[in-house]
Amino acid sequence: MAKAKKTRTTRKKVKKQVAHGKAFIHATYNNTIITITDLDGNPVTWSSGGVIGYKGSRKGTPYAAQLAAMDAAKKAQNFGMTQVDVVVRGTGAGREQAIRALQASGLQVRSIVDDTPVPHNGCRPRKKKRA
């Protein structure tokens, strides 16, 4: 009375090909995060100063941003990406260096938009001191 073994058929995972996308550069004083998405905003790949292997204050340097951008671009090119629109947010040290690294790694940068959030009226002021 041997039971028949069930055979499972698995589908081969198809890597999606994305020719055009958006690169979001989030540059803070402590780190630079590069996220590359398709045109709908679904993330394809990402990288940051911490992913590269830096810790602490070195993550916020322009060189770490350059390495992170090159890493993200290399991963995106594996998906067939050739062109990106760049959106930059934040005031960190790695803003320009990350854009230059994206261009140097073979991605064609079509446009650059600075979308840094700016407070309209600031935060609520402290209450007045009593005399």
Side-chain angles (χ1 to χ4, degrees):
M1 285 200 205
K3 290 185 179 180
K5 289 186 178 180
K6 292 183 181 179
T7 57
R8 289 190 180 193
T9 56
T10 57
R11 288 185 183 173
K12 189 177 180 184
K13 193 168 186 179
V14 178
K15 219 177 207 185
K16 62 179 177 179
Q17 292 294 310
V18 184
H20 184 78
K22 287 185 174 184
F24 293 91
I25 299 172
H26 181 73
T28 65
Y29 295 117
N30 296 320
N31 203 354
T32 304
I33 303 170
I34 293 98
T35 306
I36 299 180
T37 68
D38 58 12
L39 289 178
D40 295 328
N42 303 316
V44 176
T45 183
W46 69 276
S47 187
S48 70
V51 170
I52 299 304
Y54 285 127
K55 290 183 178 179
S57 61
R58 282 195 234 145
K59 291 190 297 186
T61 61
Y63 183 66
Q66 176 185 346
L67 293 181
M70 291 180 93
D71 180 49
K74 190 169 66 173
K75 290 178 189 173
Q77 285 170 336
N78 290 339
F79 286 94
M81 191 166 290
T82 57
Q83 297 177 330
V84 288
D85 297 317
V86 177
V87 178
V88 184
R89 290 193 179 125
T91 57
R95 288 164 49 108
E96 285 81 19
Q97 203 64 33
I99 297 170
R100 290 203 178 108
L102 287 175
Q103 288 174 327
S105 61
L107 289 177
Q108 180 186 355
V109 175
R110 288 186 16 166
S111 67
I112 301 170
V113 177
D114 189 358
D115 194 25
T116 304
V118 179
H120 294 285
N121 203 12
C123 57
R124 185 171 181 231
R126 292 180 61 176
K127 62 183 180 181
K128 298 278 192 247
K129 286 189 175 180
R130 294 190 197 123

